[in-house]
Coordinates of all heavy atoms in Angstrom, one line a residue:
M1 N -25.3 23.6 -2.4 CA -25.6 22.5 -1.5 C -24.8 21.2 -1.9 O -24.0 20.7 -1.2 CB -27.1 22.2 -1.5 CG -27.9 22.8 -0.4 SD -27.1 22.6 1.3 CE -28.6 22.2 2.2
R2 N -25.1 20.8 -3.1 CA -24.5 19.6 -3.6 C -23.0 19.7 -3.6 O -22.3 18.8 -3.2 CB -24.9 19.3 -5.1 CG -26.1 18.4 -5.2 CD -26.2 17.9 -6.6 NE -25.2 16.9 -6.9 CZ -25.5 15.9 -7.7 NH1 -26.6 15.8 -8.3 NH2 -24.5 15.0 -7.9
L3 N -22.5 20.9 -4.1 CA -21.1 21.1 -4.1 C -20.4 21.0 -2.8 O -19.4 20.4 -2.6 CB -20.8 22.5 -4.7 CG -20.6 22.5 -6.3 CD1 -20.4 23.9 -6.7 CD2 -19.4 21.6 -6.7
R4 N -21.1 21.5 -1.8 CA -20.6 21.5 -0.4 C -20.5 20.1 0.1 O -19.5 19.7 0.7 CB -21.5 22.3 0.5 CG -21.1 23.8 0.5 CD -21.9 24.5 1.5 NE -21.8 24.0 2.9 CZ -22.4 24.5 3.9 NH1 -23.2 25.5 3.8 NH2 -22.2 24.0 5.1
T5 N -21.5 19.2 -0.2 CA -21.4 17.8 0.2 C -20.2 17.1 -0.4 O -19.5 16.5 0.2 CB -22.7 17.1 -0.2 OG1 -23.8 17.9 0.2 CG2 -22.8 15.8 0.4
V6 N -20.1 17.3 -1.7 CA -18.9 16.7 -2.4 C -17.6 17.2 -1.8 O -16.7 16.4 -1.6 CB -19.0 17.0 -4.0 CG1 -17.7 16.5 -4.6 CG2 -20.2 16.3 -4.6
G7 N -17.5 18.5 -1.6 CA -16.3 19.0 -1.0 C -16.0 18.4 0.4 O -14.8 18.0 0.6
S8 N -17.0 18.3 1.2 CA -16.6 17.7 2.5 C -16.3 16.2 2.5 O -15.5 15.7 3.2 CB -17.7 18.0 3.5 OG -19.0 17.8 3.0
L9 N -16.9 15.5 1.5 CA -16.6 14.1 1.3 C -15.1 14.0 0.9 O -14.4 13.1 1.4 CB -17.5 13.4 0.3 CG -18.8 13.0 0.8 CD1 -19.6 12.3 -0.3 CD2 -18.6 11.9 2.0
A10 N -14.8 14.8 0.0 CA -13.4 14.8 -0.5 C -12.4 15.1 0.6 O -11.4 14.5 0.8 CB -13.2 15.8 -1.7
A11 N -12.8 16.1 1.4 CA -11.9 16.5 2.6 C -11.8 15.3 3.6 O -10.7 15.1 4.1 CB -12.5 17.7 3.3
L12 N -12.9 14.6 3.8 CA -12.9 13.5 4.7 C -12.0 12.4 4.1 O -11.2 11.8 4.9 CB -14.3 13.0 4.9 CG -14.5 11.8 5.8 CD1 -14.2 12.2 7.2 CD2 -15.9 11.2 5.7
A13 N -12.1 12.1 2.8 CA -11.3 11.0 2.2 C -9.8 11.4 2.3 O -9.0 10.6 2.7 CB -11.7 10.8 0.8
F14 N -9.6 12.7 2.1 CA -8.2 13.1 2.1 C -7.6 13.0 3.6 O -6.5 12.5 3.8 CB -8.1 14.6 1.7 CG -6.7 15.1 1.8 CD1 -5.7 14.8 0.8 CD2 -6.3 16.0 2.8 CE1 -4.4 15.2 0.9 CE2 -5.0 16.5 2.9 CZ -4.1 16.1 2.0
A15 N -8.5 13.4 4.6 CA -8.0 13.3 6.0 C -7.7 11.9 6.3 O -6.7 11.6 7.0 CB -9.1 13.9 6.9
M16 N -8.5 10.9 5.8 CA -8.3 9.5 6.2 C -7.0 9.0 5.6 O -6.3 8.2 6.2 CB -9.5 8.7 5.7 CG -10.8 9.0 6.5 SD -12.0 7.7 6.3 CE -12.2 7.7 4.5
L17 N -6.7 9.4 4.4 CA -5.5 8.9 3.7 C -4.3 9.6 4.2 O -3.2 9.1 4.3 CB -5.6 9.1 2.2 CG -6.6 8.2 1.5 CD1 -6.7 8.6 0.0 CD2 -6.1 6.8 1.6
A18 N -4.4 10.9 4.6 CA -3.3 11.7 4.9 C -2.8 11.6 6.4 O -1.7 11.8 6.7 CB -3.6 13.2 4.6
A19 N -3.7 11.2 7.3 CA -3.4 11.2 8.7 C -3.0 9.8 9.2 O -3.9 9.0 9.4 CB -4.5 11.8 9.5
P20 N -1.8 9.5 9.4 CA -1.4 8.2 9.8 C -2.0 7.9 11.2 O -2.3 6.7 11.4 CB 0.1 8.2 9.9 CG 0.5 9.4 9.2 CD -0.6 10.4 9.2
A21 N -2.1 8.9 12.0 CA -2.6 8.6 13.4 C -4.1 8.1 13.4 O -4.4 7.4 14.3 CB -2.6 9.9 14.2
S22 N -4.8 8.4 12.3 CA -6.2 8.0 12.3 C -6.3 6.7 11.4 O -7.4 6.3 11.0 CB -7.1 9.0 11.7 OG -6.8 9.3 10.4
G23 N -5.1 6.1 11.1 CA -5.1 5.0 10.2 C -6.0 3.8 10.7 O -6.6 3.1 9.9
E24 N -6.0 3.6 12.0 CA -6.8 2.5 12.6 C -8.3 2.6 12.2 O -8.9 1.6 12.2 CB -6.7 2.5 14.1 CG -5.3 2.0 14.6 CD -4.3 3.0 14.5 OE1 -4.6 4.2 14.4 OE2 -3.1 2.7 14.5
A25 N -8.7 3.8 11.9 CA -10.2 4.0 11.6 C -10.5 3.5 10.2 O -11.6 3.2 9.9 CB -10.5 5.5 11.7
V26 N -9.5 3.3 9.4 CA -9.7 2.9 8.0 C -9.3 1.4 7.9 O -8.3 1.0 8.4 CB -8.8 3.7 7.0 CG1 -9.1 3.3 5.6 CG2 -9.0 5.2 7.3
A27 N -10.1 0.6 7.2 CA -9.8 -0.8 7.0 C -8.4 -0.9 6.4 O -8.1 -0.2 5.5 CB -10.9 -1.5 6.2
P28 N -7.6 -1.9 7.0 CA -6.2 -2.0 6.5 C -6.2 -2.2 5.0 O -5.3 -1.7 4.3 CB -5.7 -3.2 7.2 CG -6.5 -3.3 8.4 CD -7.8 -2.7 8.1
T29 N -7.1 -3.0 4.4 CA -7.1 -3.3 3.0 C -7.3 -2.0 2.2 O -6.7 -1.9 1.1 CB -8.1 -4.4 2.6 OG1 -9.3 -4.1 3.2 CG2 -7.6 -5.7 3.1
V30 N -8.2 -1.1 2.6 CA -8.4 0.1 1.9 C -7.2 1.0 1.9 O -6.7 1.5 0.9 CB -9.6 0.9 2.5 CG1 -9.8 2.3 1.9 CG2 -10.9 0.1 2.4
R31 N -6.6 1.1 3.1 CA -5.4 1.9 3.3 C -4.3 1.3 2.5 O -3.5 2.0 1.8 CB -5.1 1.9 4.8 CG -4.1 2.9 5.2 CD -4.2 2.8 6.8 NE -2.9 3.0 7.4 CZ -2.3 4.1 7.4 NH1 -2.8 5.2 6.9 NH2 -1.1 4.2 8.0
G32 N -4.1 0.0 2.6 CA -3.1 -0.7 1.8 C -3.2 -0.6 0.3 O -2.2 -0.4 -0.4
G33 N -4.5 -0.6 -0.2 CA -4.7 -0.4 -1.6 C -4.2 1.0 -2.1 O -3.7 1.1 -3.1
A34 N -4.5 2.0 -1.2 CA -4.0 3.3 -1.6 C -2.5 3.4 -1.6 O -1.9 4.0 -2.5 CB -4.6 4.3 -0.6
I35 N -1.9 2.8 -0.6 CA -0.4 2.8 -0.6 C 0.2 2.0 -1.8 O 1.1 2.5 -2.4 CB 0.1 2.1 0.7 CG1 -0.3 3.0 1.9 CG2 1.6 1.9 0.7 CD1 -0.1 2.3 3.3
F36 N -0.4 0.9 -2.1 CA 0.0 0.1 -3.3 C 0.0 0.9 -4.5 O 0.9 1.0 -5.3 CB -0.8 -1.2 -3.4 CG -0.3 -2.1 -4.5 CD1 0.8 -2.9 -4.3 CD2 -0.9 -2.0 -5.8 CE1 1.3 -3.7 -5.4 CE2 -0.4 -2.8 -6.8 CZ 0.7 -3.7 -6.6
A37 N -1.2 1.6 -4.7 CA -1.4 2.4 -6.0 C -0.3 3.5 -6.0 O 0.2 3.8 -7.1 CB -2.8 3.0 -6.0
E38 N 0.0 4.1 -4.9 CA 0.9 5.2 -4.9 C 2.4 4.8 -4.9 O 3.2 5.5 -5.5 CB 0.6 6.0 -3.5 CG 1.0 7.4 -3.5 CD 0.6 8.0 -2.2 OE1 -0.6 8.1 -1.9 OE2 1.5 8.3 -1.4
R39 N 2.7 3.7 -4.2 CA 4.1 3.4 -4.0 C 4.6 2.1 -4.7 O 5.9 1.9 -4.8 CB 4.4 3.2 -2.5 CG 3.9 4.4 -1.6 CD 4.9 5.5 -1.6 NE 6.2 5.1 -1.1 CZ 6.8 5.6 0.0 NH1 6.1 6.4 0.8 NH2 8.0 5.2 0.4
C40 N 3.8 1.2 -5.1 CA 4.2 -0.1 -5.6 C 3.8 -0.4 -7.0 O 4.5 -1.2 -7.7 CB 3.7 -1.2 -4.7 SG 3.6 -0.8 -2.9
K41 N 2.6 0.1 -7.4 CA 2.0 -0.3 -8.6 C 2.9 -0.1 -9.8 O 2.9 -1.0 -10.7 CB 0.7 0.5 -8.8 CG -0.3 -0.1 -9.7 CD -1.6 0.8 -9.6 CE -2.8 0.2 -10.4 NZ -2.6 0.3 -11.8
E42 N 3.6 1.0 -9.9 CA 4.3 1.3 -11.1 C 5.3 0.2 -11.4 O 5.6 0.0 -12.6 CB 5.1 2.6 -10.9 CG 6.0 2.6 -9.7 CD 6.8 3.9 -9.5 OE1 7.7 4.2 -10.3 OE2 6.5 4.6 -8.5
C43 N 5.8 -0.6 -10.5 CA 6.7 -1.7 -10.7 C 6.1 -3.0 -10.7 O 6.5 -4.0 -11.4 CB 7.9 -1.7 -9.7 SG 8.9 -0.2 -9.8
H44 N 5.1 -3.2 -9.8 CA 4.5 -4.6 -9.6 C 3.2 -4.9 -10.2 O 2.7 -6.0 -10.1 CB 4.4 -4.8 -8.1 CG 5.7 -5.0 -7.4 ND1 6.5 -6.1 -7.6 CD2 6.4 -4.2 -6.5 CE1 7.6 -6.0 -6.9 NE2 7.6 -4.8 -6.2
D45 N 2.6 -3.9 -10.9 CA 1.3 -4.2 -11.6 C 1.3 -3.6 -12.9 O 1.1 -2.4 -13.1 CB 0.2 -3.7 -10.7 CG -1.2 -4.2 -11.1 OD1 -1.2 -5.1 -12.0 OD2 -2.2 -3.8 -10.6
P46 N 1.7 -4.4 -14.0 CA 1.8 -5.8 -14.0 C 3.2 -6.4 -13.6 O 3.3 -7.6 -13.7 CB 1.5 -6.1 -15.5 CG 2.1 -5.0 -16.2 CD 1.9 -3.8 -15.3
G47 N 4.1 -5.7 -13.2 CA 5.5 -6.3 -13.0 C 6.3 -6.0 -14.2 O 5.8 -5.6 -15.2
D48 N 7.6 -6.3 -14.1 CA 8.5 -6.1 -15.2 C 9.5 -7.2 -15.2 O 9.4 -8.2 -14.5 CB 9.1 -4.7 -15.3 CG 10.0 -4.4 -14.0 OD1 10.5 -5.3 -13.4 OD2 10.0 -3.2 -13.7
D49 N 10.6 -7.1 -16.0 CA 11.6 -8.2 -16.1 C 12.3 -8.5 -14.7 O 12.8 -9.6 -14.5 CB 12.6 -7.9 -17.2 CG 13.3 -6.6 -17.1 OD1 12.6 -5.6 -16.6 OD2 14.4 -6.5 -17.5
R50 N 12.3 -7.5 -13.8 CA 12.9 -7.8 -12.5 C 11.8 -7.9 -11.4 O 11.9 -8.7 -10.5 CB 13.9 -6.6 -12.2 CG 15.2 -6.8 -12.9 CD 16.2 -5.8 -12.3 NE 16.4 -6.1 -10.9 CZ 16.6 -5.2 -10.0 NH1 16.6 -3.9 -10.3 NH2 16.8 -5.5 -8.7
A51 N 10.9 -7.0 -11.4 CA 9.9 -7.0 -10.3 C 8.8 -8.0 -10.5 O 8.2 -8.1 -11.6 CB 9.2 -5.6 -10.2
P52 N 8.6 -8.9 -9.5 CA 7.5 -9.9 -9.6 C 6.2 -9.2 -9.7 O 5.9 -8.2 -9.1 CB 7.7 -10.7 -8.3 CG 8.5 -9.9 -7.4 CD 9.3 -9.0 -8.2
P53 N 5.3 -9.8 -10.5 CA 3.9 -9.2 -10.6 C 3.1 -9.4 -9.3 O 3.5 -10.2 -8.5 CB 3.3 -10.0 -11.8 CG 4.0 -11.3 -11.9 CD 5.4 -11.0 -11.4
R54 N 2.1 -8.6 -9.2 CA 1.3 -8.6 -8.0 C 0.8 -10.0 -7.6 O 0.8 -10.3 -6.4 CB 0.1 -7.6 -8.4 CG -0.8 -7.5 -7.2 CD -1.9 -6.6 -7.6 NE -2.9 -6.7 -6.6 CZ -4.0 -6.0 -6.4 NH1 -4.2 -5.0 -7.3 NH2 -4.8 -6.2 -5.5
A55 N 0.4 -10.8 -8.6 CA -0.1 -12.1 -8.3 C 1.0 -13.0 -7.6 O 0.6 -13.8 -6.7 CB -0.5 -12.8 -9.6
V56 N 2.3 -12.7 -7.9 CA 3.3 -13.5 -7.2 C 3.5 -12.9 -5.7 O 3.7 -13.7 -4.8 CB 4.7 -13.4 -8.0 CG1 5.8 -13.9 -7.1 CG2 4.5 -14.1 -9.3
L57 N 3.4 -11.6 -5.6 CA 3.5 -11.0 -4.2 C 2.3 -11.6 -3.4 O 2.5 -11.8 -2.2 CB 3.4 -9.5 -4.3 CG 4.4 -8.8 -5.1 CD1 4.2 -7.3 -5.0 CD2 5.8 -9.2 -4.7
A58 N 1.2 -11.8 -4.0 CA 0.0 -12.3 -3.3 C 0.2 -13.7 -2.7 O -0.5 -14.1 -1.8 CB -1.2 -12.3 -4.2
T59 N 1.2 -14.5 -3.2 CA 1.5 -15.8 -2.7 C 2.3 -15.8 -1.4 O 2.6 -16.8 -0.8 CB 2.1 -16.7 -3.7 OG1 3.5 -16.2 -4.0 CG2 1.3 -16.8 -5.0
K60 N 2.9 -14.6 -1.1 CA 3.7 -14.5 0.1 C 2.9 -14.3 1.3 O 1.7 -14.0 1.2 CB 4.7 -13.3 -0.1 CG 5.7 -13.6 -1.3 CD 6.6 -12.4 -1.5 CE 7.6 -12.7 -2.6 NZ 8.5 -13.8 -2.4
T61 N 3.5 -14.4 2.5 CA 2.8 -14.1 3.7 C 3.0 -12.6 4.1 O 3.8 -11.9 3.5 CB 3.3 -14.9 4.9 OG1 4.7 -14.5 5.2 CG2 3.3 -16.4 4.6
V62 N 2.1 -12.1 4.9 CA 2.2 -10.7 5.4 C 3.6 -10.5 6.0 O 4.2 -9.5 5.7 CB 1.1 -10.4 6.5 CG1 1.3 -9.1 7.2 CG2 -0.3 -10.4 5.8
D63 N 4.1 -11.4 6.8 CA 5.4 -11.2 7.4 C 6.5 -11.1 6.4 O 7.4 -10.4 6.6 CB 5.6 -12.3 8.5 CG 4.8 -12.1 9.7 OD1 4.3 -11.0 9.9 OD2 4.7 -13.1 10.5
E64 N 6.4 -12.0 5.4 CA 7.4 -11.9 4.3 C 7.5 -10.6 3.6 O 8.5 -10.0 3.3 CB 7.2 -13.0 3.3 CG 7.6 -14.4 3.8 CD 7.1 -15.5 2.9 OE1 6.2 -15.3 2.0 OE2 7.6 -16.7 3.0
I65 N 6.3 -10.1 3.3 CA 6.2 -8.8 2.6 C 6.7 -7.7 3.5 O 7.5 -6.8 3.1 CB 4.8 -8.5 2.1 CG1 4.4 -9.5 1.0 CG2 4.7 -7.1 1.5 CD1 3.0 -9.5 0.5
V66 N 6.3 -7.7 4.8 CA 6.8 -6.7 5.8 C 8.3 -6.7 5.9 O 9.0 -5.7 5.9 CB 6.1 -6.8 7.2 CG1 6.8 -5.9 8.2 CG2 4.6 -6.5 7.1
A67 N 8.8 -7.9 5.9 CA 10.3 -8.1 6.0 C 11.0 -7.5 4.8 O 12.0 -6.9 4.9 CB 10.7 -9.6 6.2
A68 N 10.4 -7.8 3.6 CA 11.0 -7.3 2.3 C 11.0 -5.8 2.4 O 11.9 -5.1 1.9 CB 10.2 -7.8 1.1
L69 N 10.0 -5.2 3.0 CA 9.9 -3.7 3.0 C 10.7 -3.1 4.1 O 11.0 -1.9 4.1 CB 8.4 -3.3 3.3 CG 7.4 -3.7 2.2 CD1 6.0 -3.3 2.6 CD2 7.7 -3.0 0.9
T70 N 11.1 -3.9 5.1 CA 11.8 -3.4 6.2 C 13.3 -3.6 6.1 O 14.1 -2.7 6.3 CB 11.3 -4.0 7.5 OG1 9.8 -3.8 7.5 CG2 11.8 -3.3 8.8
T71 N 13.7 -4.9 5.9 CA 15.1 -5.2 5.8 C 15.5 -5.8 4.5 O 16.7 -6.1 4.3 CB 15.5 -6.2 6.9 OG1 14.6 -7.3 6.8 CG2 15.3 -5.6 8.3
G72 N 14.6 -6.1 3.6 CA 14.8 -6.7 2.3 C 15.0 -5.8 1.2 O 15.3 -4.6 1.4
P73 N 14.9 -6.3 0.0 CA 15.2 -5.5 -1.2 C 14.3 -4.3 -1.4 O 14.7 -3.3 -2.1 CB 15.0 -6.5 -2.4 CG 14.2 -7.6 -1.8 CD 14.5 -7.7 -0.4
M74 N 13.1 -4.3 -0.8 CA 12.2 -3.2 -1.0 C 12.3 -2.1 0.1 O 11.6 -1.1 0.1 CB 10.7 -3.7 -0.9 CG 10.3 -4.5 -2.1 SD 10.3 -3.6 -3.7 CE 11.9 -4.0 -4.3
A75 N 13.3 -2.2 1.0 CA 13.4 -1.2 2.1 C 13.6 0.2 1.5 O 13.0 1.2 2.0 CB 14.6 -1.6 3.0
P76 N 14.4 0.4 0.4 CA 14.6 1.8 -0.1 C 13.3 2.4 -0.6 O 13.0 3.5 -0.4 CB 15.6 1.6 -1.2 CG 16.3 0.3 -0.9 CD 15.3 -0.5 -0.2
V77 N 12.5 1.6 -1.3 CA 11.2 2.1 -1.9 C 10.2 2.3 -0.8 O 9.3 3.1 -1.0 CB 10.6 1.3 -3.0 CG1 11.6 1.2 -4.2 CG2 10.1 0.0 -2.6
A78 N 10.3 1.6 0.3 CA 9.3 1.7 1.4 C 9.7 2.8 2.4 O 9.1 3.0 3.4 CB 9.1 0.4 2.1
E79 N 10.8 3.5 2.1 CA 11.2 4.5 3.1 C 10.1 5.5 3.3 O 9.5 6.0 2.4 CB 12.5 5.2 2.5 CG 13.2 5.9 3.6 CD 14.5 6.5 3.1 OE1 15.2 5.9 2.2 OE2 14.9 7.5 3.7
G80 N 9.9 5.8 4.6 CA 8.9 6.8 4.9 C 7.5 6.1 5.3 O 6.7 6.8 5.9
L81 N 7.4 4.8 5.0 CA 6.2 4.1 5.4 C 6.3 3.7 6.9 O 7.4 3.3 7.3 CB 5.9 2.9 4.6 CG 5.6 3.1 3.1 CD1 5.4 1.8 2.4 CD2 4.4 4.0 2.9
T82 N 5.3 3.8 7.7 CA 5.3 3.4 9.0 C 5.1 1.9 9.1 O 4.7 1.3 8.1 CB 4.2 4.0 9.9 OG1 2.9 3.5 9.4 CG2 4.2 5.6 9.7
P83 N 5.4 1.2 10.2 CA 5.2 -0.2 10.3 C 3.7 -0.5 10.0 O 3.4 -1.6 9.4 CB 5.5 -0.5 11.8 CG 6.6 0.5 12.1 CD 6.2 1.8 11.4
D84 N 2.8 0.3 10.5 CA 1.4 0.1 10.2 C 1.1 0.2 8.7 O 0.3 -0.6 8.1 CB 0.5 1.2 10.8 CG 0.2 0.8 12.3 OD1 0.6 -0.3 12.7 OD2 -0.4 1.6 13.0
D85 N 1.8 1.1 8.0 CA 1.6 1.2 6.5 C 2.1 -0.1 5.8 O 1.4 -0.6 4.9 CB 2.5 2.4 6.0 CG 2.0 3.8 6.4 OD1 0.8 3.9 6.7 OD2 2.8 4.7 6.4
K86 N 3.2 -0.6 6.3 CA 3.8 -1.8 5.6 C 2.8 -3.0 5.9 O 2.6 -3.8 4.9 CB 5.2 -2.1 6.2 CG 6.2 -1.0 5.9 CD 7.5 -1.2 6.6 CE 8.4 0.0 6.4 NZ 9.6 -0.1 7.2
R87 N 2.3 -3.1 7.1 CA 1.4 -4.2 7.4 C 0.1 -4.0 6.5 O -0.4 -5.0 6.1 CB 1.1 -4.2 8.9 CG 0.5 -5.4 9.4 CD 0.8 -5.7 10.8 NE 2.1 -6.4 10.9 CZ 2.3 -7.7 10.8 NH1 1.3 -8.5 10.5 NH2 3.5 -8.2 10.9
A88 N -0.3 -2.8 6.4 CA -1.6 -2.5 5.6 C -1.4 -2.9 4.2 O -2.3 -3.6 3.6 CB -2.0 -1.0 5.7
V89 N -0.3 -2.6 3.6 CA -0.1 -2.9 2.2 C 0.1 -4.4 2.0 O -0.4 -5.0 1.1 CB 1.0 -2.1 1.5 CG1 2.4 -2.5 1.9 CG2 0.9 -2.1 0.0
A90 N 0.8 -5.0 3.0 CA 1.0 -6.5 2.9 C -0.3 -7.2 3.1 O -0.6 -8.2 2.4 CB 2.0 -6.9 4.0
T91 N -1.2 -6.7 4.0 CA -2.5 -7.3 4.2 C -3.3 -7.2 2.9 O -4.0 -8.1 2.5 CB -3.2 -6.6 5.4 OG1 -2.4 -6.7 6.5 CG2 -4.6 -7.2 5.6
Y92 N -3.3 -6.0 2.3 CA -4.0 -5.8 1.1 C -3.5 -6.7 0.0 O -4.4 -7.3 -0.7 CB -3.7 -4.3 0.6 CG -4.2 -4.0 -0.8 CD1 -5.5 -3.9 -1.1 CD2 -3.2 -3.9 -1.8 CE1 -5.9 -3.6 -2.4 CE2 -3.6 -3.7 -3.1 CZ -4.9 -3.5 -3.4 OH -5.3 -3.3 -4.7
L93 N -2.2 -6.9 -0.1 CA -1.7 -7.8 -1.2 C -2.1 -9.3 -1.0 O -2.3 -10.0 -2.0 CB -0.2 -7.7 -1.3 CG 0.3 -6.4 -2.0 CD1 1.8 -6.2 -1.8 CD2 -0.1 -6.4 -3.5
T94 N -2.1 -9.7 0.3 CA -2.3 -11.1 0.5 C -3.8 -11.4 0.8 O -4.1 -12.6 0.9 CB -1.5 -11.5 1.8 OG1 -1.9 -10.7 2.9 CG2 0.0 -11.4 1.5
A95 N -4.6 -10.4 0.9 CA -6.1 -10.7 1.1 C -6.7 -11.5 -0.1 O -6.4 -11.2 -1.2 CB -6.8 -9.3 1.2
K96 N -7.4 -12.5 0.3 CA -8.0 -13.4 -0.8 C -9.3 -12.8 -1.3 O -10.0 -12.2 -0.5 CB -8.2 -14.8 -0.2 CG -6.9 -15.5 0.2 CD -6.1 -15.8 -1.0 CE -4.7 -16.4 -0.6 NZ -3.8 -15.4 0.1
Ligands
HEC1 C1 11.1 0.9 -8.4 C2 10.4 -0.3 -8.6 C3 9.7 -0.9 -7.4 C4 8.8 -0.4 -6.6 C5 8.3 1.0 -6.5 C6 8.5 -1.4 -5.6 N1 9.1 -2.6 -5.9 FE1 8.9 -4.4 -4.9 N2 10.3 -5.2 -6.1 C7 11.0 -4.5 -7.2 C8 12.0 -5.4 -7.8 C9 12.9 -5.1 -9.0 C10 12.0 -6.6 -7.0 C11 12.9 -7.8 -7.1 C12 14.0 -7.5 -6.2 C13 15.0 -8.6 -6.1 O1 14.7 -9.8 -6.4 O2 16.1 -8.3 -5.7 C14 10.9 -6.4 -6.0 C15 10.6 -7.4 -5.1 C16 9.5 -7.3 -4.2 C17 9.1 -8.3 -3.2 C18 9.7 -9.7 -3.1 C19 10.9 -9.5 -2.2 C20 11.6 -10.8 -1.9 O3 12.1 -11.0 -0.9 O4 11.5 -11.7 -2.8 C21 8.1 -7.8 -2.5 C22 7.3 -8.5 -1.4 C23 7.8 -6.4 -3.0 N3 8.7 -6.1 -4.0 C24 6.9 -5.6 -2.5 C25 6.8 -4.2 -2.8 C26 5.8 -3.3 -2.2 C27 4.8 -3.7 -1.1 C28 6.1 -2.1 -2.8 C29 5.4 -0.8 -2.4 C30 5.6 -0.3 -1.0 C31 7.1 -2.3 -3.8 N4 7.5 -3.6 -3.8 C32 7.6 -1.2 -4.6 C33 10.7 -3.3 -7.7 C34 9.9 -2.3 -7.0

């Protein structure tokens, strides 16, 4: 019984993270947090001699971050992210 519940919760969480089409159902900050952990954290948290730390990214606007991910220096690392994904991670980073 217990095991089945845990299993279906895990399946649900996986479905929410894995299916971009259902992204709207997940709060952008939750989705953005998952993307940050997976795609950005290794360089930006805590940051390194080239990559600005997360606290510096947080001072930018959503549009600036989306632009960096689309046409700016981060376009190569953001490859494969949808426009919604980019906005979600930017919203997550700039959320107060
Ligand atoms: C492989 C390491 C690496 C990864 C992964 C990475 N970044 Fe960066 N990021 C950098 C470096 C290095 C810079 C500084 C680039 C420069 O100044 O030319 C930077 C700069 C930025 C900037 C500032 C751009 C500007 O115009 O000043 C933003 C915003 C940013 N990253 C967001 C992200 C987000 C969001 C992700 C995840 C989708 C991400 N980065 C993943 C290394 C990385």
Side-chain angles (χ1 to χ4, degrees):
M1 262 315 225
R2 268 195 78 145
L3 270 177
R4 274 184 57 180
T5 312
V6 172
S8 45
L9 278 180
L12 180 67
F14 178 75
M16 291 194 305
L17 288 175
S22 65
E24 286 77 19
V26 185
T29 48
V30 173
R31 199 167 139 73
I35 295 168
F36 184 82
E38 201 177 295
R39 308 276 302 242
C40 323
K41 200 173 187 291
E42 58 179 290
C43 296
H44 287 292
D45 194 7
D48 59 31
D49 52 330
R50 285 193 57 221
R54 184 180 164 169
V56 170
L57 301 184
T59 66
K60 297 180 180 291
T61 66
V62 168
D63 286 343
E64 283 169 346
I65 295 175
V66 170
L69 296 176
T70 307
T71 55
M74 292 293 97
V77 300
E79 201 174 326
L81 294 181
T82 66
D84 276 355
D85 290 338
K86 293 172 188 172
R87 195 150 279 276
V89 74
T91 302
Y92 166 77
L93 282 170
T94 56
K96 298 292 173 295

